[in-house]
Amino acid sequence: MEAHYPFTLPPLPYAYDALLPELDERTMHFHHDKHFNTYVENLNKLLQDHPQYHDWSLERLMQDWPELPEDIRQGVRNNAGGVYNHDLYFKTLHPAPASAPGPALQQAIDRDFGDLQGLKAAMRYCGTPLAYSFPEAEQEKSVTVVELKEKGTVSLRTLPLTPLLGCDVWEHAYYLPYQNRRDEYFEAWWRLVDWPGVTLRYGELTSPRTQYPAP
Ligand code: MN3
């Protein structure tokens, strides 16, 4: 992701057919090239006549959107969140996922959800579930699941949260191969989660953050 305006669509980090049979090539083209790109284009369009924000990072736009002029405030919030969430979504999927989270993340999940199945259950019926970690103490990080009611990732902007993984459960993410079988899609998505990558994101957090990390 570019550091600031103008933002461009990051390439899909694997081949379009790499996630078969769980997610097909057409869905990946449609979701990445059209939907994700629309957020990028909308964000640029909103910012184009506001040069004073052209050096703001995506993370800053997501955090400090209340400082923006009223006519672009909500639009920037939604579209910056959409860009961040989609970047995270595609980056936390992997064609050959490893089997499990790393030991420290596994321990936090066990403590906060009982086990990995507990985390899965917590995410399954969320509107747009995102799992976050946040520091409780110096060495101890908790994992929590937040339902995104709006597109912005960062309604919890005052907390030092690190997004770990999120499932896009809008129909455009799965309708072609799964139609209305959302639960089947969720199971497929879960099989594709790149746990080493998620573990890395979790491990990156060593002290309370005031900023969101780049996806
Ligand atoms: Mn989407």
Side-chain angles (χ1 to χ4, degrees):
M1 213 69 232
E2 278 67 28
H4 53 72
Y5 176 96
F7 296 99
T8 58
L9 182 70
L12 192 70
Y14 31 75
Y16 285 86
D17 60 359
L19 304 183
L20 282 166
E22 275 83 4
L23 288 171
D24 65 287
E25 206 172 336
R26 251 181 98 206
T27 296
M28 297 311 282
H29 272 293
F30 190 59
H31 197 183
H32 178 273
D33 307 351
K34 304 270 185 240
H35 277 267
F36 186 2
N37 194 44
T38 299
Y39 287 111
V40 174
E41 286 180 347
N42 286 345
L43 183 59
N44 286 334
K45 223 174 287 171
L46 285 158
L47 292 170
Q48 68 185 2
D49 297 328
H50 298 271
Q52 64 272 45
Y53 306 112
H54 286 183
D55 63 346
W56 281 31
S57 67
L58 183 66
E59 290 74 22
R60 179 155 185 215
L61 290 167
M62 289 165 65
Q63 283 187 109
D64 295 341
W65 58 267
E67 294 173 27
L68 298 170
E70 207 188 334
D71 59 321
I72 62 165
R73 191 179 297 154
Q74 199 56 43
V76 168
R77 183 189 182 195
N78 289 346
N79 286 286
V83 170
Y84 188 98
N85 289 343
H86 280 88
D87 202 23
L88 179 69
Y89 174 79
F90 290 113
K91 279 182 181 162
T92 49
L93 299 180
H94 199 273
S99 55
L105 176 57
Q106 182 70 58
Q107 210 174 356
I109 290 170
D110 291 348
R111 187 191 60 222
D112 297 332
F113 293 94
D115 56 22
L116 198 56
Q117 291 306 310
L119 173 64
K120 187 179 171 185
M123 296 187 77
R124 182 184 293 270
Y125 297 112
C126 265
T128 303
L130 257 181
Y132 288 89
S133 70
F134 60 94
E136 274 193 331
E138 197 57 31
Q139 295 299 322
E140 204 174 328
K141 290 165 288 191
S142 289
V143 176
T144 189
V145 171
V146 176
E147 179 166 300
L148 296 182
K149 297 212 190 309
E150 300 168 57
K151 292 194 187 90
T153 302
V154 204
S155 48
L156 300 154
R157 58 190 284 273
T158 54
L159 295 174
L161 297 170
T162 295
L164 292 175
L165 78 160
C167 183
D168 190 337
V169 288
W170 289 66
E171 284 185 347
H172 64 247
Y174 65 90
Y175 199 81
L176 291 177
Y178 295 100
Q179 289 84 51
N180 62 344
R181 303 190 306 278
R182 177 187 143 140
D183 208 46
E184 244 179 74
Y185 158 69
F186 181 85
E187 289 291 336
W189 169 78
W190 186 259
R191 285 194 293 276
L192 293 170
V193 170
D194 176 30
W195 286 109
V198 174
T199 300
L200 201 68
R201 299 177 67 76
Y202 178 78
E204 279 167 3
L205 185 64
T206 53
S207 63
R209 279 175 186 276
T210 52
Q211 286 214 322
Y212 286 81

